[in-house]
Amino acid sequence: MTAPAITTIIFDLGGVLIDWNPRYLYRRLITDDQELDTFLSTVTTSDWNEEQDAGRSLADGTALLVAQHPQHRELIEHFYGRWSEMLGGAIEGTVEVLTELKASQRYHLYALTNWSAETFPIALEQFDFLHWFEGIVVSGTEKMRKPTPEFYHLLLTRYGVEAQQAVFIDDNLRNIQAAQAIGMHTVHFQSAEQLRAELETLGVLSTVS
């Protein structure tokens, strides 16, 4: 049986198209490398941040963490107070791939992102290419996040996409495995060059040129 043709490309945003890293801010505030590593791994952790991505308000998330680590109140409050300073810019090589896909007019382009609903408007204003997508599903708005299957199915259902006809691109292996489990083609993003090569292997970019 012939495999269904790929019709849709779904991008993660942070770490794939947008360079976001708390270190960009906190290395200005914490000069000792070991102290910086400890703060990011034990205070403003990924698990804590993901709860804001899943819909908890920034105010509630900040208050909770300050209550747990009152000695770090000022540093914690900077996480969202100076959040834009964590944006390192666009990942240009990936934007070039997105540009080619858009120009080809052969694929539906969507984004599925774990991102706070309160900070996402900052990215929308800063990065023009975010307006190229036919739709962006934001975890903080939907009150669910990757890697829960319901979040992937929400995009598929909302936009009438068949999982077997979609390629999902993400830098987080956990999220890739969840997409594979529901039948998507996947690219575990490591670099723009690697992304381009894997899309060529899937026959996606070869139809663009």
Side-chain angles (χ1 to χ4, degrees), residues 5 10 31 33 46 57 72 85 88 118 125 138 140 170 192-193 208:
I10 303 169
T31 57
D33 288 344
S46 295
S57 74
H72 294 305
E85 295 177 53
E118 294 176 72
E125 183 175 349
V138 179
D170 200 298
E193 295 76 18
V208 173

Side-chain angles (χ1 to χ4, degrees), residues 110-183:
Y110 300 104
L112 186 72
T113 184
N114 282 359
W115 206 304
S116 163
E118 294 176 72
T119 58
F120 191 65
I122 299 171
L124 273 177
E125 183 175 349
Q126 184 166 334
F127 301 103
D128 289 342
F129 59 81
L130 292 179
H131 300 276
W132 299 352
F133 292 104
E134 295 176 49
I136 301 177
V137 180
V138 179
S139 62
T141 301
E142 307 298 341
K143 303 294 192 294
M144 62 177 77
R145 61 175 173 83
K146 295 175 284 187
T148 59
E150 293 80 9
F151 192 44
Y152 298 82
H153 284 297
L154 177 63
L155 184 149
L156 299 177
T157 301
R158 180 173 294 172
Y159 298 108
V161 178
E162 295 292 335
Q164 295 82 1
Q165 294 180 303
V167 179
F168 176 69
I169 303 161
D170 200 298
D171 62 318
N172 189 314
L173 182 58
R174 172 196 68 180
N175 298 338
I176 288 291
Q177 291 169 338
Q180 290 171 345
I182 64 172

Side-chain angles (χ1 to χ4, degrees), residues 97-115:
V97 170
L98 177 62
T99 301
E100 292 179 27
L101 293 170
K102 179 176 179 288
S104 77
Q105 299 184 343
R106 295 178 183 272
Y107 302 99
H108 298 288
L109 301 173
Y110 300 104
L112 186 72
T113 184
N114 282 359
W115 206 304

Side-chain angles (χ1 to χ4, degrees), residues 169-209:
I169 303 161
D170 200 298
D171 62 318
N172 189 314
L173 182 58
R174 172 196 68 180
N175 298 338
I176 288 291
Q177 291 169 338
Q180 290 171 345
I182 64 172
M184 290 185 185
H185 301 275
T186 60
V187 177
H188 181 205
F189 181 86
Q190 299 168 60
S191 70
E193 295 76 18
Q194 167 258 348
L195 170 62
R196 179 179 293 277
E198 293 204 30
L199 289 178
E200 287 175 353
T201 298
L202 287 168
V204 172
L205 281 180
S206 62
T207 62
V208 173
S209 56

